[in-house]
Amino acid sequence: MRKAGMSINEVKEKILSLKGREVEMNINRGRKKFESLSGIIKDVYPSVFTVETGESKSSVQTFSYYDVLCGNVIFVGE
């Protein structure tokens, strides 16, 4: 369910301002499965953004702005 208060453009601007910085996120994976993740926001694309989550460059995860808008991805401390 979409949370009121932010538009998709505001979410994109927020994530663009965090590009290159280390972030901590809580992710709702569904069916009562939650995951905590820390990494660096590497790239920001029109529909998605990528987070590098470890020492190796092969550990990259992709999230959509809609995930943040709906509350499935929450930035901790922001």
Side-chain angles (χ1 to χ4, degrees):
M1 184 68 136
R2 182 178 180 270
K3 290 184 175 182
M6 289 186 87
S7 70
I8 194 78
N9 290 329
E10 291 172 332
V11 171
K12 287 181 181 182
E13 289 174 13
K14 176 183 176 183
I15 293 171
L16 187 60
S17 71
L18 294 173
K19 182 179 177 183
R21 294 178 47 198
E22 186 164 346
V23 294
E24 291 185 28
M25 305 184 309
N26 290 330
I27 304 161
N28 181 356
R29 297 285 187 191
R31 294 190 176 226
K32 299 181 184 179
K33 296 178 188 171
F34 294 91
E35 179 181 346
S36 293
L37 179 79
S38 73
I40 298 172
I41 296 179
K42 282 303 205 186
D43 294 309
V44 178
Y45 298 105
S47 298
V48 296
F49 62 98
T50 60
V51 178
E52 188 175 299
T53 60
E55 298 293 326
S56 67
K57 292 186 178 181
S58 63
S59 57
V60 175
Q61 295 199 20
T62 304
F63 301 98
S64 71
Y65 301 112
Y66 187 72
D67 292 333
V68 178
L69 190 65
C70 291
N72 291 333
V73 174
I74 300 171
F75 292 98
V76 178
E78 295 296 322

